[in-house]
Amino acid sequence: MITEVEIRRGRENGQYVLLVDDRQFHLLRRAVSVFSYQEESAVARALVTGAEDVTLAEPLQLDVSYDDVVPGPVELTFAQLHAVYGILTSLPTVNWVEEEFVERVGDFRETILRMALLLRSGLLRSGLPV
């Protein structure tokens, strides 16, 4: 069960480090990957992520095979954190029946939304500025 996400200041000013467990890391990775493949419209991607050019490939190791991924803390800019949050909150609204959603994303809509809530509460608890 997903219980908490701690967020700390990153190496550089304006960076956030998400301290996530392996399951949370893979959930974020799958959600972003599914969104990237299913959403072909650049306008819709920008609407959800808040920017046209935000990239999440490096921090979530999207270009790495599953067997070679090293789960752990995820360092993001605020724009990238916003993009992940936007993806987590919008992905459950895709018009797939529940079985198809679970097959594609690997988890239930409620779990994806819970992860979004954990990011939000983690950021609020961190007290870090935007």
Side-chain angles (χ1 to χ4, degrees):
M1 165 170 266
I2 298 174
T3 58
E4 188 174 294
V5 172
E6 184 178 342
I7 299 179
R8 296 183 183 165
R9 183 177 307 281
R11 292 175 287 185
E12 298 178 25
N13 194 23
Q15 297 276 327
Y16 300 84
V17 177
L18 283 56
L19 302 175
V20 294
D21 62 28
D22 290 3
R23 185 171 189 276
Q24 292 168 328
F25 178 87
H26 286 292
L27 181 66
L28 292 173
R29 189 172 185 267
R30 282 191 316 266
V32 169
S33 181
V34 168
F35 173 80
S36 298
Y37 287 117
Q38 71 94 22
E39 187 53 71
E40 297 176 7
S41 166
V43 172
R45 278 194 311 272
L47 175 66
V48 170
T49 63
E52 292 182 38
D53 59 352
V54 68
T55 178
L56 298 164
E58 185 179 332
L60 292 174
Q61 305 174 47
L62 298 179
D63 298 331
V64 178
S65 73
Y66 182 85
D67 292 335
D68 295 330
V69 167
V70 180
V74 179
E75 191 161 342
L76 304 170
T77 64
F78 186 78
Q80 290 170 318
L81 180 57
H82 174 268
V84 169
Y85 181 79
I87 290 168
L88 292 172
T89 57
S90 71
L91 196 57
T93 67
V94 175
N95 194 20
W96 296 328
V97 296
E98 191 64 21
E99 293 81 14
E100 185 178 7
F101 186 89
V102 171
E103 183 178 314
R104 290 184 186 214
V105 179
D107 223 315
F108 297 100
R109 295 174 202 271
E110 295 83 7
T111 307
I112 300 297
L113 289 171
R114 174 82 174 131
M115 189 69 202
L117 178 62
L118 291 175
L119 290 181
R120 182 178 174 185
S121 61
L123 185 60
L124 292 173
R125 279 193 320 277
S126 76
L128 294 173
V130 175

